Amino acid sequence: MNILKVDRLRFSYGEVEVLKGIDLSIERNMVLGIIGANGSGKTTFLKNISGYLTPVSGTVSVLGKNIRDYSIKERARYIGYVPQDGVYDFEFTCYDIVMMGRMPYIKRFQSETKQDRDIVKECMKATNTWHFKERSIRHLSGGERQRVYIARALAQRPKILLMDEPVSHLDIRYQIEILSLVRDLASEGLLVIVVLHDINLASEFCDEILIMKEGQMVACGSPAKVLTRDNIMSAFSVDARIIESPVSKKPYVIPYLSIR
Amino acid sequence: MRLKRSAYFVIAFLVFIVVAIFSVSAGAVEMPLRKILDVFTGKGDDPSKTIILTLRLPRAIEAAVVGMGLSVVGAFFQGLLRNPMADPYVLGISSGAALGATIAIVLGFGIFGLNAMAFITSLITVFFVYSISKIGARISMTTMLLAGIAVSAFMSAVISLMMLLNRSELSRIIFWTMGGFNLTSWEDVMFSVPVIAIGSFVLYTFSRDVNAILTGEEVAEHLGVNTELVKKVVLALGSLVTATAVSVGGVIGFVGLIVPHISRLIVGPDNRVLVPFSAIAGATFLLFADVVARVILKPVEVPIGIITAAFGGPFFLYLLIKNRRKGEGM
């Protein structure tokens, strides 16, 4: 069965059509990277998959069932969402933040059980955040904070993890650290869909890459297949040389000339 | 950590008890503790019974419950709007109530008509602000804040104009707007206490949801929170509690703003702890303010709004300075 199936998905913000018919079908757990120019609809696509936005037409199905047929709470048991790093001006501890990931399983008048606490501990250990569980989320570095948010999404025990530019604000060390973690998670049985700005990071860490342009899919497939000069040109209006990375033998893109 | 929190609760509750006893005891006629106990065990003399049972007790209960309600709503609105400046009056409830009260005073309504009028106009105002902020199925919190400010400004202008045109009623209008419990009767208590208490409790059951919303509305929805439903319920209940509080106590400023902040500095941002703590702290604070309002210029009563601002402002500033490093956050 398909873990995720997107069928002729269209979405508009008012008059502006942002997604113009996207089809996608994923049968196995992997890391799928989404790349594309600013405004190409990457984030909107993620929010349609998560069920936060309602498509104008077309469907998103998770494990064979239309996402609109799940309740908001059910949705949160299948899909975890890691937002872009933003401003955090509240004093919650990291532990409190990760415990929020158990909300899809806790009824209104219940308090958290030992099982919830165990899962939170396990997710924090997996993301290497357990040792600062009592610290305020505000007093962390960008990389630490991102790991806490990943831990929270994992505590939801999702089948699909959506990440919107999780490494854009991070330095190169944290970028590699986070994306390595993401790849480990996928290999343990999770579909990860991650929006990335850096094409070469996508090439290095993703099993497949989806290239978007103006609300449509330009190409989707393994990095070696889709990271071509033509596709880069089409999606970013930039000319590029594609070489092979001496380290990983993956494609390495060197952009060099803007067409416009 | 846990132990420390419960210790804060025990201390807060003990302070509340002390202030409550003090509130029944202090006033134009001093009531020593022994006389209070006598009245409650049925042994007291008649004047003591009258003073305590028909004057001080309803007043104390009302002040405590109004303080509790305003503080709980303040904590929720600050969380829901993710704005530290938010208070129960942010949606125009206070100006709506004040306008209703002004109209009632000018038209010469009695105390019951005045309270009813204030209650109704405040709810109409909130509903108006709410419908402006509704964009499709979602409510924009930013639009709501701004619409609240705009509506409040307009209503204040109308109130000022009415005051100018009805100078004879000027002092009554001002006194009502600054709030007070000098006219509180058991009838007020019977009507307002259940509404405020039940409303606050139901609000409390949404603490976890508002925690999530505090970290971002979209994030909350991705954690399984029906954010639009939570917003509607919290706004509706919060408005009901506030309108009830205002209709019996007048527009008492500052309580709903600073009590949640002070509580947040003490017990942290988790609404499941913050809300009950704010409830106790708010009840204590308003009881205390009511006592001060009664005794500071004895035998003249000072409007309680003056006391809450005069005591709350400097105390809050002190806490802000003391906690400057971590005091910026929610």
Side-chain angles (χ1 to χ4, degrees), chain B residues 236-250:
Chain B
L237 282 174
S239 301
L240 184 66
V241 168
T242 309
T244 310
V246 167
S247 73
V248 292

Side-chain angles (χ1 to χ4, degrees), chain A residues 47 50 89 108 110 152, chain B residues 208-209 218-219 222 330:
Chain A
K47 287 179 185 167
S50 78
D89 52 356
R108 180 166 305 283
Q110 271 177 348
R152 171 159 85 172
Chain B
R208 208 194 320 251
D209 306 81
E218 273 184 48
V219 173
H222 286 121
M330 295 274 297

Side-chain angles (χ1 to χ4, degrees), chain B:
Chain B
M1 191 74 187
R2 286 287 130 86
L3 194 78
K4 218 173 144 194
R5 271 182 186 167
S6 49
Y8 283 131
F9 271 96
V10 171
I11 293 167
F13 193 70
L14 290 177
V15 173
F16 170 75
I17 297 293
V18 170
V19 174
I21 293 168
F22 184 53
S23 144
V24 178
S25 139
V29 181
E30 298 285 340
M31 283 287 158
L33 187 57
R34 199 182 44 78
K35 273 196 176 178
I36 298 174
L37 286 175
D38 280 349
V39 168
F40 282 108
T41 49
K43 285 186 292 194
D45 49 79
D46 282 344
S48 305
K49 270 186 183 163
T50 313
I51 289 174
I52 290 178
L53 293 180
T54 63
L55 293 176
R56 301 240 173 115
L57 202 56
R59 182 175 183 155
I61 293 172
E62 193 72 277
V65 169
V66 165
M68 176 193 84
L70 291 177
S71 303
V72 168
V73 174
F76 268 96
F77 281 9
Q78 284 165 7
L80 195 69
L81 295 149
R82 269 170 294 142
N83 189 322
M85 294 299 293
D87 73 357
Y89 305 142
V90 76
L91 306 177
I93 293 184
S94 52
S95 50
L99 182 62
T102 307
I103 294 171
I105 290 171
V106 169
L107 295 179
F109 285 13
I111 185 71
F112 175 77
L114 197 160
N115 289 356
M117 189 81 177
F119 183 73
I120 291 164
T121 48
S122 61
L123 287 186
I124 291 173
T125 311
V126 175
F127 189 73
F128 178 69
V129 170
Y130 172 84
S131 26
I132 287 178
S133 325
K134 214 161 169 248
I135 304 165
R138 292 186 189 275
I139 311 160
S140 161
M141 288 290 139
T142 315
T143 312
M144 194 153 204
L145 268 174
L146 295 174
I149 292 170
V151 169
S152 293
F154 176 77
M155 290 189 157
S156 300
V158 176
I159 294 169
S160 301
L161 191 64
M162 290 179 74
M163 282 159 84
L164 261 181
L165 297 175
N166 298 278
R167 290 195 194 190
S168 54
E169 304 292 352
L170 206 59
S171 69
R172 266 193 83 195
I173 296 172
I174 290 175
F175 257 80
W176 190 88
T177 334
M178 285 190 291
F181 297 100
N182 43 328
L183 296 174
T184 302
S185 65
W186 279 112
E187 284 74 43
D188 294 324
V189 174
M190 292 306 169
F191 147 72
S192 60
V193 169
V195 177
I196 294 176
I198 294 169
S200 300
F201 179 75
V202 179
L203 275 176
Y204 168 69
T205 65
F206 284 84
S207 297
R208 208 194 320 251
D209 306 81
V210 175
N211 279 351
I213 289 175
L214 200 49
T215 72
E217 265 183 46
E218 273 184 48
V219 173
E221 189 137 333
H222 286 121
L223 291 169
V225 176
N226 189 339
T227 51
E228 294 306 312
L229 179 76
V230 171
K231 279 194 267 185
K232 277 178 203 154
V233 172
V234 170
L235 289 173
L237 282 174
S239 301
L240 184 66
V241 168
T242 309
T244 310
V246 167
S247 73
V248 292
V251 184
I252 303 168
F254 236 60
V255 183
L257 178 70
I258 62 161
V259 170
H261 276 299
I262 291 170
S263 306
R264 209 174 270 118
L265 289 172
I266 296 170
V267 296
D270 185 343
N271 283 294
R272 287 172 295 169
V273 184
L274 173 67
V275 168
F277 193 85
S278 294
I280 300 176
T284 312
F285 178 59
L286 211 54
L287 260 179
F288 173 74
D290 184 51
V291 177
V292 176
R294 262 182 285 160
V295 299
I296 195 165
L297 290 181
K298 205 153 72 172
V300 178
E301 275 209 25
V302 179
I304 196 168
I306 294 177
I307 307 297
T308 55
F311 278 78
F315 182 56
F316 189 41
L317 278 180
Y318 159 74
L319 281 177
L320 279 181
I321 292 164
K322 193 168 149 255
N323 294 278
R324 220 177 302 184
R325 210 169 51 82
K326 61 174 202 176
E328 312 134 23
M330 295 274 297

